[in-house]
Amino acid sequence: DKCDKCGRCVKVCSAHAIDLEDKERFQEFDVGVVIMATGFDMFDVKKLNEYETLLPDVITATQMERLMINECGAGMVLKRKADGNRVKKIAYVLCAGSRTRKVGVPYCSKICCNYAIKQSVILRKTFPYMQVYVYYIDIRAAGRGFEEFYVRSQEEYGVKFIHGKVSDIQKGNNGILVRAEDVTLGEIIENEFDMVVLCTAMLPSKGTAELAKLLKVPMGEDGFVSEKHPKLDPVSTHRSGILAAGVALGPKDVRDTVLD
């Protein structure tokens, strides 16, 4: 909408991939195989009514990933949006919208534990003064080396893990108040943080159901494409010539997606 067709983008595109005069058109192709690789969407945290997600320093892990690329990698200091002060204490809340039948989805999103640990370690390495807490129901560090990485994050980098479901996130006196049940201690605990990161559920991408209906491919109860056989034929659908890959089949990390 903001393009004024000045042509500067055409001049700098070495692949000659831009045609400002191109028109929309429909084409038909005869192909041997169709691969559904529709990716995923993230759960809308605004639906989590017990969490005050409109606070400026309550963000998602996807947003944190972008912040870390833009700021941690450039040697910049991570700052609070609310007042511009340095972030010294941060909390990760796992299963935000996952593993629940009330508001969210009943399944595990599989990758959240591992990327939360990864981000926590990077933050501790980049900002040694920062305290990092991870609230979890269960740590599911599946995959080769991930359990060892989980242990290293505690012993070598000092990431603190709290076994308990977060029940409330709200504005505190000096930051963001997080209330949770600590299963290990058997009591309700409250802590204040400069920033809270929600690890949200992975959902089938918008339009996947419509595409599956168009291709006459069955879907699972979770909304992802149903594979022919999870072990013997994990990327074939129940219709010949239609394959699926990556998170179209369910929550996966980059490695498993590439293997598909």
Side-chain angles (χ1 to χ4, degrees):
D1 292 339
K2 295 181 180 180
C3 176
D4 58 8
K5 295 193 175 182
C6 66
R8 288 198 295 269
C9 58
V10 178
K11 294 177 182 177
V12 299
C13 181
S14 58
H16 306 293
I18 301 174
D19 181 1
L20 294 176
E21 305 304 322
D22 201 10
K23 305 294 182 184
E24 182 184 42
R25 61 188 183 275
F26 293 92
Q27 294 178 273
E28 293 186 2
F29 300 93
D30 290 324
V31 298
V33 170
V34 173
I35 302 175
M36 297 179 66
T38 49
F40 66 96
D41 290 331
M42 301 303 289
F43 179 75
D44 183 4
V45 294
K46 294 178 183 177
K47 295 180 180 179
L48 299 171
N49 297 322
E50 66 271 31
Y51 299 163
E52 202 169 325
T53 56
L54 295 179
L55 293 172
D57 293 299
V58 176
I59 64 174
T60 66
T62 310
Q63 293 170 317
M64 173 54 82
E65 190 79 20
R66 181 59 57 189
L67 278 174
M68 292 171 70
I69 291 171
N70 291 343
E71 300 188 22
C72 296
M76 297 175 69
V77 175
L78 202 61
K79 296 182 178 180
R80 285 166 45 90
K81 291 182 181 179
D83 52 22
N85 290 331
R86 182 181 296 188
V87 175
K88 296 181 180 179
K89 192 175 180 182
I90 190 168
Y92 278 82
V93 178
L94 291 169
C95 300
S98 292
R99 301 177 65 190
T100 173
R101 297 185 183 276
K102 293 181 179 179
V103 180
V105 296
Y107 54 81
C108 170
S109 291
K110 189 176 180 179
I111 66 170
C112 308
C113 291
N114 290 331
Y115 73 61
I117 296 170
K118 180 206 75 169
Q119 288 188 5
S120 300
V121 168
I122 292 174
L123 287 172
R124 286 286 298 157
K125 288 173 68 176
T126 309
F127 310 112
Y129 58 82
M130 189 179 291
Q131 299 179 58
V132 183
Y133 290 75
V134 179
Y135 289 84
Y136 69 96
I137 301 175
D138 303 298
I139 292 294
R140 296 184 171 184
R144 186 175 184 181
F146 283 124
E147 184 68 25
E148 292 82 354
F149 185 49
Y150 164 50
V151 174
R152 280 180 56 214
S153 70
Q154 300 172 76
E155 296 180 350
E156 189 174 335
Y157 298 102
V159 179
K160 299 176 177 63
F161 288 83
I162 298 177
H163 187 191
K165 178 74 173 174
V166 172
S167 60
D168 191 23
I169 296 174
Q170 59 181 271
K171 187 175 181 180
N173 295 325
N174 300 306
I176 303 166
L177 178 69
V178 175
R179 183 181 292 112
E181 178 191 7
D182 190 321
V183 176
T184 305
L185 298 177
E187 60 185 39
I188 303 299
I189 59 171
E190 292 183 353
N191 282 305
E192 284 203 14
F193 297 92
D194 298 317
M195 183 176 283
V196 174
V197 182
L198 302 176
C199 300
T200 52
M202 299 176 76
L203 307 176
S205 63
K206 187 179 180 182
T208 298
E210 290 80 359
L211 179 61
K213 186 176 180 180
L214 183 70
L215 296 174
K216 297 181 175 61
V217 170
M219 308 280 287
E221 290 183 1
D222 54 7
F224 293 99
V225 177
S226 180
E227 70 272 64
K228 198 169 185 178
H229 193 284
K231 292 183 181 290
L232 303 179
D233 207 351
V235 295
S236 293
T237 67
H238 291 271
R239 186 181 177 195
S240 180
I242 309 291
L243 307 179
V247 190
L249 290 162
K252 296 183 181 182
D253 59 14
V254 175
R255 179 182 179 274
D256 288 343
T257 298
V258 172
L259 285 174
D260 282 353

